[in-house]
Amino acid sequence: MPSKILVDDRTNTLVVSASEPAYQRAKALIDRIDVPVALETGGSIHTYQLSSAIAEELAQTLTKAIAGDGQATRPQQRGAPGQPPGPAQPPGAAQPPAPAAAALEGLGAALQGPVRIIADKSTNKLLVTSSTRDFVALREVIQQLDQPRRQVYIEAMILEVDVSNGLKLGVSAHGGTDVGGSGLGFGGVQLPELSSINPASALALGGLLGGLFGTSLDSLGAVFGSSGSAGRTIPSYGVLIQALATRSNTNILSTPSIIALDNEEARSKIGENIPYLTGVIPATSGSTTSLTTGVSRQPLELELAIKPHISADDTILLEIKHSAGGVKDAAGALGPTWTTRSVETRVVVRDQQTVLIGGLMQDSVTDGESKVPLLGDLPLLGHLFKYTTRSKHKTNLVILLTPYIIKDQSDLEAIRQRKLRENDEFFRSMASLDAMKFAPRVDYKRKRGVIEEINRAVLAVEADAAARERVTAPVGVPAGRVEVPGDPAP
């Protein structure tokens, strides 16, 4: 054993008084203990270069944590692809604290002196004013918060189908004759939609038409005010039949693509601004009056907002918000009529798994009938005394989403090449594009079957066992004999 050990504070030196074997033994022990501590030297101002986190938001988070604000949250990060720090959970769901969140708890109490953190936006660095020991403690927390997150590339297909069917069916008839040379007898079935009194109106009707008209009666034309000067008179009798069926199909397909950072919302908005007349406003200037037409604009946009949450087993929770506007009737009596369709939901999908979001279906049926009382209610014969209209309108909105997890830069390059190939195919096959089938490319290396599910479960159990061993492992300087050069083996 050394006989005496003295401390020289000025030079931070130990003075050992001992024999040569005792000195060698003490020196071996000191060499093991006197290991350099990172950043043990230096002033009170330190800098830290961030790689993924944003300096302004990380500075606010650390400042709140040091001040004891329990609402300190994980800052936003840049979109560098990499491994996530842990499984993503839905907002509001109970989940264990992440390593970074656990490090923030009690951060202020763990520091020995005052700490001030300033963000440098131009270089994305943190300026920390603190003691060296406090900066070493803060550096470990900053490293846990400065972790890159993965990204998700989402291909969306929005399909809107609009189908309309209409039917018009009716009969109009009339008849008239002279009575004794001084009177007139007249009768018939005239409906607002169909009139046999005016044969010229049949020229504007569509569908299947059939008619039979008699010669004109002078007295009949005089009584009803025929336009004899133009050569048009009311026929003595007439029968007019119309049958018209209409059908229209509208197929609107939108395929927006969007890339989003894990736990960050990405928004895509595409549309147009439609002008419409709001009215005519008279303006008087002196003795002159002019009319000013008022014009307003209505934005009709297709908006898609998606917020992904990636878990450790490559499942993705998608928070989806979609809204679309359109013109239903541009020439209405009171102005244009706009339509709005929106959906907001959450779904859980796997990597490269397509999810179908539908259910926005609208089906409206309108029946109209103009008839002669009693006669129009007769079976079969009643169709001779009435005019029937029927319209059916059906709208269906379907959304298809396919997420792709971006794990590294090669995934981004593969998506870029695929998009370039699709654009080339689009320009080459413009004429026959509608007949082409949609065949998405699937990377089967990322697909998981039954064997892979079993393998993932076994790996999870082994990881839990290794974590338990690390928790119970001793922490500190390993016990053992201090080796001295020249000592004989025990």
Side-chain angles (χ1 to χ4, degrees):
M1 295 293 295
S3 59
K4 195 172 186 180
I5 299 178
L6 302 177
V7 178
D8 184 12
D9 295 334
R10 183 178 64 85
T11 60
N12 193 33
T13 305
L14 293 178
V15 180
V16 181
S17 176
S19 61
E20 181 63 23
Y23 169 73
Q24 292 295 338
R25 188 179 299 276
K27 184 177 181 300
L29 180 61
I30 293 171
D31 289 341
R32 174 175 290 191
I33 297 176
D34 189 23
V35 294
V37 179
L39 297 178
E40 188 64 32
T41 60
S44 60
I45 301 178
H46 312 274
T47 62
Y48 188 91
Q49 177 66 58
L50 300 176
S51 60
S52 300
I54 299 176
E56 297 91 333
E57 300 184 1
L58 183 54
Q60 295 178 3
T61 301
L62 293 175
T63 302
K64 291 181 180 180
I66 294 173
D69 189 351
Q71 296 181 352
T73 57
R74 178 184 175 91
Q76 294 183 0
Q77 295 180 341
R78 295 180 177 180
Q83 296 296 331
Q89 298 290 337
Q95 56 182 351
L104 290 177
E105 296 180 0
L107 180 60
L111 301 177
Q112 297 180 356
V115 177
R116 185 182 180 187
I117 302 175
I118 302 174
D120 184 18
K121 183 178 180 181
S122 59
T123 60
N124 198 42
K125 289 184 178 181
L126 291 179
L127 302 179
V128 182
T129 304
S130 67
S131 63
T132 303
R133 293 184 179 274
D134 288 344
F135 178 70
V136 172
L138 279 175
R139 187 182 62 177
E140 296 180 358
V141 177
I142 294 173
Q143 290 175 352
Q144 295 181 24
L145 294 175
D146 191 27
Q147 294 290 332
R149 286 181 289 174
R150 288 185 289 181
Q151 302 175 90
V152 181
Y153 179 79
I154 303 172
E155 288 184 344
M157 178 180 294
I158 303 174
L159 178 63
E160 182 177 352
V161 180
D162 194 334
V163 180
S164 298
N165 295 326
L167 177 64
K168 296 180 180 180
L169 179 62
V171 177
S172 176
H174 78 278
T177 183
D178 294 328
V179 180
S182 60
L184 176 64
F186 184 80
V189 177
Q190 299 297 301
L191 302 173
E193 299 83 1
L194 199 62
S195 176
S196 62
I197 295 179
N198 185 11
S201 63
L203 300 178
L205 299 177
L208 177 63
L209 297 177
L212 179 63
F213 298 96
T215 59
S216 61
L217 293 176
D218 296 337
S219 57
L220 187 63
V223 172
F224 287 95
S226 63
S227 54
S229 60
R232 295 174 58 192
T233 58
I234 297 177
S236 58
Y237 66 89
V239 178
L240 184 61
I241 302 174
Q242 182 194 18
L244 175 63
T246 59
R247 178 183 177 86
S248 64
N249 294 331
T250 303
N251 188 357
I252 302 175
L253 178 63
S254 302
T255 57
S257 299
I258 194 170
I259 187 168
L261 191 64
D262 185 21
N263 299 321
E264 296 294 335
E265 184 181 72
R267 188 179 299 271
S268 174
K269 184 182 294 186
I270 304 172
E272 57 186 359
N273 204 321
I274 305 296
Y276 64 95
L277 299 178
T278 57
V280 178
I281 303 174
T284 304
S285 177
S287 59
T288 305
T289 302
S290 60
L291 299 179
T292 303
T293 303
V295 179
S296 297
R297 290 184 174 271
Q298 175 70 21
L300 301 179
E301 300 172 339
L302 187 149
E303 184 175 359
L304 179 64
I306 300 178
K307 185 175 183 180
H309 304 274
I310 308 176
S311 64
D313 60 346
D314 287 347
T315 58
I316 309 171
L317 171 66
L318 297 177
E319 298 185 35
I320 305 167
K321 297 179 182 179
H322 169 72
S323 62
V327 181
K328 182 178 181 181
D329 185 6
L334 300 178
T337 301
W338 319 111
T339 61
T340 302
R341 295 163 298 279
S342 63
V343 60
E344 182 174 351
T345 184
R346 296 181 180 181
V347 295
V348 177
V349 296
R350 292 192 180 275
D351 185 19
Q352 299 190 17
Q353 180 184 8
T354 302
V355 60
L356 172 63
I357 303 174
L360 291 179
M361 181 179 293
Q362 182 179 3
D363 193 354
S364 61
V365 179
T366 304
D367 293 330
E369 192 176 68
S370 300
K371 63 181 180 180
V372 177
L374 299 180
L375 296 178
D377 297 330
L378 296 175
L380 299 179
L381 295 179
H383 291 284
L384 300 176
F385 303 96
K386 64 182 178 181
Y387 188 87
T388 304
T389 60
R390 180 182 178 87
S391 62
K392 186 176 182 180
H393 184 82
K394 180 180 291 187
T395 302
N396 191 12
L397 178 64
V398 177
I399 303 175
L400 299 173
L401 297 177
T402 306
Y404 297 82
I405 298 179
I406 306 300
K407 297 182 178 180
D408 49 36
Q409 295 296 332
S410 62
D411 293 338
L412 285 175
E413 180 63 22
I415 292 176
R416 186 187 70 84
Q417 294 179 0
R418 180 165 58 87
K419 283 299 179 182
L420 291 177
R421 185 174 65 254
E422 290 177 356
N423 289 335
D424 293 340
E425 292 176 357
F426 176 80
F427 290 115
R428 290 197 306 265
S429 59
M430 181 68 73
S432 59
L433 186 63
D434 292 338
M436 295 176 62
K437 295 183 179 180
F438 176 71
R441 179 180 177 272
V442 179
D443 187 2
Y444 288 97
K445 293 186 296 183
R446 294 190 180 182
K447 292 297 182 180
R448 291 166 54 176
V450 178
I451 298 179
E452 181 61 21
E453 291 288 347
I454 298 175
N455 183 37
R456 292 294 182 95
V458 173
L459 292 178
V461 173
E462 293 177 351
D464 292 341
R468 287 193 296 269
E469 292 179 359
R470 287 195 300 269
V471 170
T472 58
V475 179
V477 179
R481 180 177 179 272
V482 178
E483 298 291 340
V484 180
D487 274 2

